[in-house]
Amino acid sequence: MNIALRPWRDGDADAIVTACNDPLTQRYLPLLPAPYTHSDALTYIGRGGNERAVVDENTGEVLGATGWTPGRDATAEVGYWVMPAARGRRVATTALEVLSAELFKSNFQRLYLQTALSNVASQRVAIAAGFTREGIARGGSRWRDGSRYDTVVWARLADDPLGPSPRALPDLPGGRLTDGVVVLRPLGEEDSLVTYNMRILPEVSGRSVVGTPIDPAVIARNCAESASKWLAGVRAEMTIRRAEDDAYLGEIAVYYAEPVLREAMIGYSLTPEARGHGYAARAARLVTDWGFEIGMARMIAGTAVDNIASQRVLEAAGYTREAVQESRLPGPDGTRVDNVSFAKVRPA
């Protein structure tokens, strides 16, 4: 799509009102008036400044907005929003690329932006436009009710290469993995309830290495922010579902803690009804093969010594038992338990 950036005009007011009353825009731009009126739009247009309309170069249709706020030492914070009808057409990415090129020509040296951990679409825009994830700003923004939330900080420098910033954990091919019996899909906000119901089971929470919160609000937030961790290359969390009816069976994740060694760890849990049918081994084989396809050299896993069922899962998935690591895992009430380590090496 060919786009252009231009100053706002009074005739754009209706488009601005439509965009700024959209629930998604209202959610992530909490300083906007609610409801947003025609008068609010004209006030916004009259301020001028560094805000630009993003328009279709051929038709003049308003597609969105972008702009910047200058900082000290040749830096600027950039931002964008997209009309509801124009989403999914690479509008924000293209606008950010065009704006970045213009600002760098004007001698800006560092551009940055912030996105909510749950705003996956905006994070994908940042990556596609060549911005690199730098870290988390605790309490970096606030919701409309005044509560604070963490934001992801992204930046692009004037001498960064063109094109998307690299990702350690790419998307699943076609958005899923399947062997015809089970289907693995990225964990999302819509999976909060089933995830909560499984994670609070004593046999699941008691064997969790990464910790299992029992607060449903915390789990809901974790599910909503799961995609952000995937984009960051930290971990890829997926639900396990039965292919024939999409029934929820459990979850599985790839934890990428050793990028230098190209080694990742898998972990999984099943609902009681799903156990004993070979679903976990199928899921483990799928994520392990995917790990090798994206360049992992070794995939590892571990279980408590008495967790025979999990050890059988790993053996069925082609993993080899390597050692018993003393006091490797956290146990109940602050204790430590031994870990049986398993590994599978990328085929030559």
Side-chain angles (χ1 to χ4, degrees), residues 6 9 30 51 57 68 70 106 129 160 162 192 213 234 259 262 267 285 287 297:
R6 63 161 173 78
R9 302 167 182 167
E51 304 294 325
E57 194 172 44
W68 71 99
S106 299
D160 281 347
L162 297 176
S192 297
V234 176
R262 303 297 291 173
R285 283 193 291 269
V287 296

Side-chain angles (χ1 to χ4, degrees), residues 62-87:
V62 175
L63 304 173
T66 190
W68 71 99
T69 302
R72 290 184 290 182
D73 196 22
T75 66
E77 181 175 10
V78 296
Y80 43 83
W81 52 255
V82 177
M83 296 290 297
R87 291 172 186 157

Side-chain angles (χ1 to χ4, degrees), residues 12-335:
D12 300 325
D14 288 344
I16 295 173
V17 170
T18 297
C20 291
N21 280 315
D22 177 72
L24 192 62
T25 308
Q26 285 276 331
R27 180 182 183 185
Y28 291 116
L29 295 177
L31 296 181
L32 291 176
Y36 195 93
T37 67
H38 194 270
S39 176
D40 292 325
L42 291 177
T43 298
Y44 168 72
I45 293 169
R47 285 201 301 263
N50 298 325
E51 304 294 325
R52 297 289 182 267
V54 180
V55 301
D56 186 306
E57 194 172 44
N58 297 319
T59 67
E61 175 192 4
V62 175
L63 304 173
T66 190
W68 71 99
T69 302
R72 290 184 290 182
D73 196 22
T75 66
E77 181 175 10
V78 296
Y80 43 83
W81 52 255
V82 177
M83 296 290 297
R87 291 172 186 157
R89 295 159 56 185
R90 213 175 180 273
V91 171
T93 298
T94 306
L96 193 53
E97 290 171 336
V98 172
L99 178 65
S100 298
E102 291 182 1
L103 293 177
F104 288 142
K105 286 182 181 178
S106 299
N107 295 321
F108 284 94
Q109 296 301 306
R110 170 184 160 84
L111 308 179
Y112 72 96
L113 59 91
Q114 297 185 68
T115 64
L117 283 165
S118 59
N119 193 346
V120 178
S122 190
Q123 293 177 55
R124 288 186 178 277
V125 167
I127 292 170
F131 282 67
T132 297
R133 178 176 172 137
E134 294 190 328
I136 302 296
R138 294 186 302 149
S141 190
R142 65 175 177 84
W143 299 116
R144 190 167 293 277
D145 65 4
S147 60
R148 309 294 301 188
Y149 65 88
D150 299 346
T151 58
V152 187
V153 179
W154 305 81
R156 184 176 174 187
L157 305 183
D159 56 357
D160 281 347
L162 297 176
S165 55
R167 288 179 54 187
L169 294 174
D171 294 331
L172 300 180
R176 67 178 195 162
L177 300 174
T178 185
D179 64 355
V181 176
V182 298
V183 176
L184 310 184
R185 294 201 302 266
L187 181 71
E189 190 171 6
E190 67 279 6
D191 301 309
S192 297
L193 181 58
V194 289
T195 301
Y196 171 75
N197 289 336
M198 188 192 64
R199 289 187 184 179
I200 61 173
L201 296 172
E203 68 272 25
V204 174
S205 61
R207 295 192 182 278
S208 173
V209 174
V210 295
T212 303
I214 59 174
D215 183 341
V218 173
I219 289 182
R221 187 174 68 247
N222 288 346
C223 289
E225 297 174 356
S226 175
S228 180
K229 297 181 178 66
W230 194 315
L231 292 175
V234 176
R235 65 178 183 240
E237 298 174 303
M238 307 163 219
T239 62
I240 306 171
R241 295 184 176 271
R242 193 162 49 217
E244 63 176 333
D245 58 4
D246 204 43
Y248 177 83
L249 305 174
E251 62 182 346
I252 191 165
V254 175
Y255 303 91
Y256 197 16
E258 296 285 356
V260 174
L261 301 179
R262 303 297 291 173
E263 180 180 89
M265 180 179 72
I266 69 169
Y268 44 82
S269 299
L270 291 185
T271 63
E273 300 79 13
R275 297 167 194 163
H277 300 283
Y279 295 137
R282 288 178 176 276
R285 283 193 291 269
L286 284 170
V287 296
T288 301
D289 290 345
W290 176 68
F292 292 147
E293 288 171 6
I294 65 175
M296 302 299 175
R298 272 170 53 94
M299 301 291 287
I300 64 170
T303 77
V305 174
D306 64 342
N307 194 348
I308 304 302
S310 188
Q311 294 172 39
R312 287 175 176 166
V313 165
L314 293 170
E315 290 167 350
Y319 280 69
T320 300
R321 177 174 172 144
E322 291 192 323
V324 175
Q325 300 167 304
E326 187 175 357
S327 297
R328 169 75 170 172
L329 304 176
D333 302 320
T335 60

